[in-house]
Amino acid sequence: MYGSGLNKPLDGLSEELVNHLNTSGATIISIDTPSGLFIESSSLGNAIINAAYTLTFQCYKLGLLLQENAPFIGEVQVLDIGLLPDFLNQIISTAELLDEPKVRKVFKPRSRFAHKGTFGHALMIGGSYGKIGAVVLATKASLHSGAGLTTALVPKCGYEIMQVSAPEAMVIVDEMETHLTKLPDDIEKFTAIGIGPGIGTNPDTQKLLSFIIRRYRKPLVIDADGLNCLALQKDLLQQLAPYSILTPHPKEFDRLFGEHQNDFERISTAKQKAAELKIIILLKGHHTYVALPDSNGYFNSTGNEGMAKGGSGDVLTGIITSLLSQGYSPKDAVLLGAYIHGWAGDFAAQKYSKEAMLPSHTIECLGNVFIQLQEKI
Amino acid sequence: MYGSGLNKPLDGLSEELVNHLNTSGATIISIDTPSGLFIESSSLGNAIINAAYTLTFQCYKLGLLLQENAPFIGEVQVLDIGLLPDFLNQIISTAELLDEPKVRKVFKPRSRFAHKGTFGHALMIGGSYGKIGAVVLATKASLHSGAGLTTALVPKCGYEIMQVSAPEAMVIVDEMETHLTKLPDDIEKFTAIGIGPGIGTNPDTQKLLSFIIRRYRKPLVIDADGLNCLALQKDLLQQLAPYSILTPHPKEFDRLFGEHQNDFERISTAKQKAAELKIIILLKGHHTYVALPDSNGYFNSTGNEGMAKGGSGDVLTGIITSLLSQGYSPKDAVLLGAYIHGWAGDFAAQKYSKEAMLPSHTIECLGNVFIQLQEKI
Amino acid sequence: MYGSGLNKPLDGLSEELVNHLNTSGATIISIDTPSGLFIESSSLGNAIINAAYTLTFQCYKLGLLLQENAPFIGEVQVLDIGLLPDFLNQIISTAELLDEPKVRKVFKPRSRFAHKGTFGHALMIGGSYGKIGAVVLATKASLHSGAGLTTALVPKCGYEIMQVSAPEAMVIVDEMETHLTKLPDDIEKFTAIGIGPGIGTNPDTQKLLSFIIRRYRKPLVIDADGLNCLALQKDLLQQLAPYSILTPHPKEFDRLFGEHQNDFERISTAKQKAAELKIIILLKGHHTYVALPDSNGYFNSTGNEGMAKGGSGDVLTGIITSLLSQGYSPKDAVLLGAYIHGWAGDFAAQKYSKEAMLPSHTIECLGNVFIQLQEKI
Amino acid sequence: MYGSGLNKPLDGLSEELVNHLNTSGATIISIDTPSGLFIESSSLGNAIINAAYTLTFQCYKLGLLLQENAPFIGEVQVLDIGLLPDFLNQIISTAELLDEPKVRKVFKPRSRFAHKGTFGHALMIGGSYGKIGAVVLATKASLHSGAGLTTALVPKCGYEIMQVSAPEAMVIVDEMETHLTKLPDDIEKFTAIGIGPGIGTNPDTQKLLSFIIRRYRKPLVIDADGLNCLALQKDLLQQLAPYSILTPHPKEFDRLFGEHQNDFERISTAKQKAAELKIIILLKGHHTYVALPDSNGYFNSTGNEGMAKGGSGDVLTGIITSLLSQGYSPKDAVLLGAYIHGWAGDFAAQKYSKEAMLPSHTIECLGNVFIQLQEKI
């Protein structure tokens, strides 16, 4: 069915036709975009074709990249129809698709790195009673992404769990049994810090976050309940070190920056806040979006539905923190991290299926990704 | 040896011949059904040929599907002799064989699912002192079957064990060391709940089960000691939410619904109780039988003797609960769950042998099954 | 170098020649048996050729099977020179080589077993503070050998370790932290019991062993510190249920039955004690020897030097107990168990090397063995 | 670019040219050695070409083997130009490259070993609160390198972690929760002892080290915080049993033997101290250097940047201790240990990538190395 990029909801006969087709049980293939879908703004609530496949021309359009449109667009295939690059650049002005050639430029093979002597020391801060697995996953992801040293800071109830699960990691233990309360000594010595996985929102823990933000003057990676702690003390947003990295999913995003009606609005806010606060915001979704302080943005092109499982975000946090610790710039760490996270998940889906694959499998498949990246192409 | 479907026990010379053949050490192949075996009622206690192989015609007969006849029928092979479908439908009127084409119609690939936005939040309730492994297996099975989130509710003695064994799961801890006693807050938020693996039958735990049945108004999956708790408070049977799923083995079944002399009687009771209580009863056996509230029933065609090991049932509970959480109807979740559980076990037997394979291997092989299901055929 | 089966030590020129050759650095190949080696009695202390390879004729001789002669015989190859079977039977009158054809006769494929309905319930009793790994290995070996259910009885300090390591096993916990003290209820319900791995020799534990021997009237499998406990209360030897199975290495053997000068003497004692006490004695060594109550004995032909590591014996105990629980007779359980243990170890050596292979790898390779056994040949 | 072995820093036009080339972004290939690099002394601070590849002639030169020159030399390839061996021996007089032919001469296949009856009992001493993983890695490395028995001595906080992680190891537990304080009984019974991984520098632990050095009269392997404890009590250096093995990285080395400006100085000190104290010093680096008491030294030729991660050194300690326990001389244990550690790491890099590989993977790949070593070439 031929789709148009109009910004007026379908009505009358068109609406009836769309509803009829959607309930017909037929497999619908949309050309360009599904009928009724807006590509530059939200069309939620309107009558829209539920395509199983969308064949679009030359490049992705914004509406084909957003989570909220997933039910309408099905599997998207981009067809090359020979448009001029200049014309293309007009279409996607504010967001680029993060693809393999871009990532290969960012990636620095370890042998070159070695010239700089060290791969840094990453600190993963997370965990609370019943949610230690989250920081275990983040820590293992950091280890499997190349950090020279990885230390985990966990509450007492996480001590044995972490040491059994990740023998290569060192562990600093908060004296509180159930949640984190205290700043460890010498946090300045860590090359990079990621905070949030499974950390909870206990007032003590909120306080800990605020201490870290004020004391550790390098960019932090903040995720999950770390973001929820931040949302409970929004003044801290102003105090974040430049190029700090926030990695919210849409609900966490709304807690931080207010309710949004749809993903179009969220992306607009993300851009604005990244510039205003001089931070990097990675908004998770169908295609994860990265907003940079310089007003540029990227949609990630890797990953799959098998990653829609608890723990995926923790793995991403560990990867980005590990890359930061190895000397990647915050921008490069986020872009490379988001891309290889999705790529490893794509390997895992192939090996274990989208249903059975777990974030642990994604971690395990990071090796496959790095082996691919090292190969000259 | 030619078998007949008579309903009169063998006697006289026939009986002597059967006894002679059974002790002769010869490999016996039965045609149709082993001599002396009844196919529509129990023939336990009678003289019956112990076949190593049974070559039957066109379709399974009831007597060839029941656990109690396993010693007599050996390996069963169905031979196509060109009977008309209409005739076949007469033969198997009340029970259908659950096979791959039926299961493929039920299975919804994750990509389609993704249109519905979420894969749900499964809660596995189980474990007691010395039996935490059971709920670990159920939890891992849930994770490997595609639930978006899986939380385990365990007594205190299961806290570290669960967090070490399944980092992707969140854990809610009952303050009692040895067994479960308290309802967690907000159980309504869980999309699906499975209860029973390793839970024991402590009076506190019985009470917990009754609270859950009364408070959580969606269908529950109840297994193992959950069923034994139920058998100790049979009035709860009437209070089960419609389409709740019970998964007893024959002993648990008898505790719930009274003593039965044989599997024919059990199947008859299962049908009757499923209809009467508006629940789904999965009766484990040589071929697991699923009785539905609408009086239909299915025999599962997957699985093998290597699954006759402690922990197999816990894995099945985890799978069904996980499928429920993803939006499958209770009927579809049970049928798909039973089938893929057995299929994964068949993969495991091939890879690890029937002797050495463990329920953990079955979990691991769920990925193989989902990969097969995703392939178009 | 041509070897002779004489029973007189070499002297004079022969002795000098042997010493010269042994220090020459040359690779020595012996024909028949290494010069100076006695084949029916111990030749320790004599001048004996240190062969790298021994090419012997038609069959193994006793002297080529014993641990104490390992330094002299190197790798043994049996050459077929066409001797008559009758003559052969004269040569090896009291001990047979346990080989694949014999084991295939003993092995009952699980499908046949299934006719008997159940695979039993094995109980592994073991562990003490710092030695829980031993009973973990035994328990996992039992699970991987096909028992229907496996329960481990451990002291309190082993609770979490066991549940994390073997989720398929149930655990009964002795209330003492550091060692075992109390008989669990209902030990009669277990189909088979193995006792000893890592159990220590605390007086409480000795008492526990004596209670079990008196109360559990079926054959027990006793290993490791279980044997040392037995050696401290030798009167218990008379009270062992017929066909109980002891699995000592030479030192444990001597503690039980007195000091021996060499392996020839040990084998002689093993035969005598097996007959006298109506038990089965498995004496570990280069080729493990099994002495049966009926005066027959078998040398095992599988296994390798990579199994000379702590934990190998624990795995054997688990395998034998598991086979017993499945209905194998004690004799068949020991012969099949010893053989498949060595065979799994041979798979492990091939996959992981003799140096790096661990008893855990042997457990993992049990599946390879069962797959081989199931194949018709 | 043609490099020269001069000992005068570049200046003037040469210096400008080098700086220009280094910032040009071009891929630089150096012939012989990078311009500006000294090969027999340190050239840090000078203008030196940053080569991506260095093609050198006939053999390694000292300057191409040292960590400090890693940024300048890139990947080194040795080209055979047909120099006479005599001339070569002049060039590398004091240090040899440890390569496969040398290591094959040292390696004794397990079958030969078996003639000596036993593979010894290794004791790994290590761990403190939050650093138990280090001694877990060392213990597993010992197990995977062929020791007959491996026992770990850990503080109380390491008990469960070790038993869960390494069931084949026995555990002796110090009664102190957080660090090691007491000598275990009968340390003489251990064939080899390795001390240090994760041990910390608590005064109690320092005392423990001094007791062990005085009481255990065989060569010790001392690593990591064991070395830091030693550096805090330097008089103990004189009391080390001959052929004790120290395995410092450069910082630990400097703590022991004073500050050094560069790796050339460190190697010179290592040689001198090894001879003076009659010990073996393994100095970790780009190419690990082994200084022997007889004034000989070896550069190891295996290993890669993927091993620049916390835990690699712990694995090396476990390997060397395990080899010692099996009867290798200290010299052979160090040379074989260093070589197979790097080789296993090279296997791991190939399988898991340099970024994602972990010391645990290196342990796992030890089997690949032993399988290669057993193959005749």
Side-chain angles (χ1 to χ4, degrees), chain A residues 125-181:
Chain A
I125 304 178
S128 57
Y129 196 50
K131 290 183 182 169
I132 297 298
V135 64
V136 166
L137 291 171
T139 301
K140 290 180 84 164
S142 171
L143 288 166
H144 282 76
S145 302
L149 293 170
T150 300
T151 291
L153 170 60
V154 296
K156 213 168 181 176
C157 66
Y159 168 67
E160 291 211 349
I161 298 161
M162 183 59 83
Q163 294 257 291
V164 166
S165 306
E168 279 88 357
M170 286 169 289
V171 183
I172 306 174
V173 184
D174 193 294
E175 66 190 17
M176 177 64 80
E177 184 67 29
T178 53
H179 59 275
L180 289 168
T181 64

Side-chain angles (χ1 to χ4, degrees), chain D residues 267-277 281 291:
Chain D
I267 284 183
S268 164
T269 303
K271 275 188 223 176
Q272 180 201 321
K273 288 295 178 183
E276 175 191 322
L277 300 168
I281 298 172

Side-chain angles (χ1 to χ4, degrees), chain D residues 7-229:
Chain D
N7 271 339
K8 205 167 67 73
L10 300 179
D11 55 12
L13 191 62
S14 308
E15 184 174 6
E16 272 174 52
L17 179 60
V18 158
N19 292 336
H20 173 74
L21 287 169
N22 283 345
T23 55
S24 69
T27 299
I28 303 179
I29 301 175
S30 285
I31 308 297
D32 193 5
T33 57
S35 300
L37 188 83
F38 301 165
I39 61 165
E40 293 290 343
S41 63
S42 183
S43 40
L44 291 184
N46 300 349
I48 309 173
I49 273 291
N50 293 357
Y53 302 91
T54 297
L55 308 180
T56 198
F57 300 131
Q58 202 69 37
C59 65
Y60 274 92
K61 285 92 196 177
L62 187 54
L64 299 179
L65 291 162
L66 295 190
Q67 179 75 44
E68 66 175 47
N69 289 338
F72 314 120
I73 60 184
E75 232 172 82
V76 177
Q77 197 74 29
V78 178
L79 307 176
D80 187 340
I81 53 165
L83 291 187
L84 292 177
D86 274 5
F87 178 69
L88 276 176
N89 288 343
Q90 284 184 310
I91 296 181
I92 316 189
S93 51
T94 56
E96 283 187 79
L97 197 70
L98 184 62
D99 55 15
E100 195 171 330
K102 287 199 191 77
V103 161
R104 283 192 175 273
K105 277 184 208 152
V106 168
F107 176 65
K108 289 172 268 183
R110 200 166 179 86
S111 52
R112 292 298 179 89
F113 249 83
H115 292 192
K116 298 187 186 163
T118 171
F119 301 100
H121 190 166
L123 176 66
M124 301 305 319
I125 305 178
S128 57
Y129 196 50
K131 290 183 183 168
I132 297 299
V135 64
V136 166
L137 291 171
T139 301
K140 291 181 84 164
S142 171
L143 288 166
H144 282 76
S145 303
L149 293 170
T150 300
T151 291
L153 169 60
V154 296
K156 214 167 180 177
C157 67
Y159 168 67
E160 292 212 348
I161 298 161
M162 183 60 81
Q163 294 257 291
V164 166
S165 306
E168 280 87 356
M170 287 170 290
V171 183
I172 306 174
V173 184
D174 193 295
E175 66 190 17
M176 176 65 79
E177 185 67 29
T178 53
H179 60 274
L180 289 168
T181 65
K182 287 235 179 84
L183 213 56
D185 297 336
D186 303 326
I187 61 163
E188 293 83 1
K189 79 172 175 192
F190 296 103
T191 328
I193 296 181
I195 183 167
I199 209 172
T201 56
N202 187 292
D204 299 339
T205 308
Q206 293 180 37
K207 223 175 284 174
L208 172 65
L209 178 67
S210 77
F211 283 149
I212 290 177
I213 288 174
R214 267 174 276 171
R215 176 121 149 250
Y216 187 73
R217 292 314 303 156
K218 283 173 271 183
L220 285 171
V221 184
I222 309 181
D223 182 41
D225 273 340
L227 297 168
N228 294 330
C229 284

Side-chain angles (χ1 to χ4, degrees), chain C residues 200-343:
Chain C
T201 56
N202 186 290
D204 299 339
T205 309
Q206 293 180 37
K207 221 175 286 174
L208 172 66
L209 178 66
S210 77
F211 283 149
I212 291 176
I213 288 174
R214 268 174 274 172
R215 176 121 150 251
Y216 186 73
R217 292 313 305 155
K218 284 174 270 183
L220 285 170
V221 184
I222 309 181
D223 182 39
D225 274 340
L227 297 168
N228 295 330
C229 284
L230 203 56
L232 293 163
Q233 331 168 62
K234 283 187 187 149
D235 53 306
L236 288 174
L237 279 170
Q238 316 293 334
Q239 302 180 41
L240 292 169
Y243 289 90
S244 281
I245 297 161
L246 311 188
T247 58
H249 58 53
K251 278 189 191 166
E252 290 159 352
F253 186 88
D254 285 9
R255 275 179 218 127
L256 278 170
F257 302 118
E259 286 297 315
H260 290 76
Q261 294 307 314
N262 56 57
D263 289 346
F264 287 88
E265 290 186 10
R266 277 186 198 100
I267 284 183
S268 164
T269 302
K271 275 189 223 176
Q272 181 202 321
K273 288 295 179 184
E276 176 190 322
L277 301 167
K278 291 263 167 254
I279 60 174
I280 298 175
I281 298 173
L282 180 152
L283 176 60
K284 292 165 184 165
H286 185 61
H287 288 275
T288 284
Y289 176 76
V290 176
L292 298 173
D294 62 6
S295 299
N296 282 316
Y298 291 85
F299 280 104
N300 185 33
S301 61
T302 55
N304 62 79
E305 314 85 50
M307 302 175 79
K309 270 172 205 153
S312 271
D314 307 321
V315 172
L316 177 62
T317 301
I319 294 173
I320 296 175
T321 308
S322 184
L323 295 175
L324 262 187
S325 88
Q326 294 169 62
Y328 282 98
S329 73
K331 176 187 158 183
D332 286 357
V334 170
L335 295 181
L336 180 56
Y339 190 87
I340 66 177
H341 178 240
W343 198 358

Side-chain angles (χ1 to χ4, degrees), chain A residues 33-78:
Chain A
T33 57
S35 299
L37 188 83
F38 300 165
I39 61 165
E40 293 291 341
S41 63
S42 182
S43 40
L44 291 183
N46 300 349
I48 309 172
I49 273 291
N50 295 356
Y53 302 90
T54 296
L55 309 180
T56 198
F57 301 131
Q58 202 69 36
C59 65
Y60 274 93
K61 286 91 194 177
L62 188 54
L64 300 179
L65 290 163
L66 294 189
Q67 179 75 43
E68 67 176 49
N69 289 339
F72 314 122
I73 59 184
E75 231 170 83
V76 178
Q77 197 73 31
V78 179

Side-chain angles (χ1 to χ4, degrees), chain B residues 187-188 212-220 238-242 244:
Chain B
I187 62 163
E188 293 83 1
I212 290 175
I213 288 174
R214 267 174 276 171
R215 178 122 148 251
Y216 186 75
R217 293 314 304 155
K218 285 173 270 183
L220 284 171
Q238 316 293 334
Q239 302 180 42
L240 291 168
S244 282

